[in-house]
């Protein structure tokens, strides 16, 4: 069975706290099959789970950041709202979506660096 980064993170939490999947499902107010689907990447992690998990297990800021990273890495789908975007942003979004499946690691790294540099300039 393959687990996502999120699945691995929460399995370790449960083991450390001597809990089983049913305990976590109850805390998250979901059924076990749904939690399993999220851990295995068949469903995205619901937005409210990060705070619920962090509060329940008393995660430190660093651990909560690690949880957020695991959630981000485990997402199976992203939606981009382009309603208020200009024509060039819309074109960039569409080109990226069309090209995504053929994107190689080198190009992905260049895009990440470009976006990180822009973020750093804006901060």
């Amino acid at each position: 069975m393959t687990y996502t980064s999120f699945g691995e993170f929460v399995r370790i939490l449960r083991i450390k706290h001597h809990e089983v999947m049913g305990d976590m499902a109850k805390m998250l107010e979901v059924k076990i099959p749904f939690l399993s689907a999220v851990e295995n990447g068949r469903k995205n992690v619901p937005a409210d789970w990060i705070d619920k998990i962090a509060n329940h297990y008393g995660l430190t800021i660093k651990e909560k950041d690690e949880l957020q990273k695991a959630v981000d890495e485990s997402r199976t789908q992203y939606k981009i709202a382009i309603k208020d975007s200009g024509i060039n942003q819309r074109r960039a979004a569409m080109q990226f979506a069309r090209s995504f499946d053929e994107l190689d690691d080198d190009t992905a790294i260049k895009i990440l660096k470009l976006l990180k540099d822009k973020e750093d300039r804006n901060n």
Side-chain angles (χ1 to χ4, degrees):
M1 186 174 290
T2 304
Y3 292 99
T4 62
S5 296
F6 171 79
E8 290 179 16
F9 189 95
V10 295
R11 282 178 54 88
I12 291 168
L13 274 180
R14 286 197 304 265
I15 291 167
K16 285 181 180 177
H17 290 86
H18 308 285
E19 292 185 356
V20 295
M21 188 179 276
D23 298 322
M24 181 173 273
K26 184 176 181 180
M27 181 270 296
L28 293 170
E29 301 172 341
V30 298
K31 299 207 181 291
I32 293 172
F34 183 79
L35 176 55
S36 178
V38 173
E39 288 186 11
N40 292 309
R42 292 188 310 276
K43 302 268 186 191
N44 279 329
V45 179
D48 64 334
W49 282 19
I50 295 171
D51 285 333
K52 285 182 177 181
I53 292 169
N55 292 335
H56 179 78
Y57 293 104
L59 300 184
T60 65
I61 293 171
K62 182 181 179 205
E63 290 169 327
K64 189 174 178 182
D65 288 344
E66 290 171 4
L67 172 60
Q68 180 66 61
K69 183 179 176 187
V71 168
D72 292 343
E73 290 174 354
S74 301
R75 289 190 61 85
T76 59
Q77 185 179 65
Y78 286 91
K79 293 182 183 181
I80 301 173
I82 60 173
K83 177 183 168 200
D84 298 322
S85 300
I87 191 68
N88 287 325
Q89 287 88 355
R90 288 172 181 253
R91 287 178 180 159
M94 291 306 299
Q95 184 62 46
F96 185 77
R98 276 195 234 73
S99 303
F100 185 78
D101 288 337
E102 288 80 37
L103 192 66
D104 60 73
D105 281 347
D106 289 339
T107 304
I109 290 168
K110 289 176 187 175
I111 292 169
L112 287 169
K113 182 179 182 337
L114 177 71
L115 294 172
K116 176 79 170 101
D117 289 348
K118 177 159 181 19
E119 181 181 313
D120 290 346
R121 285 193 306 273
N122 288 339
N123 290 331

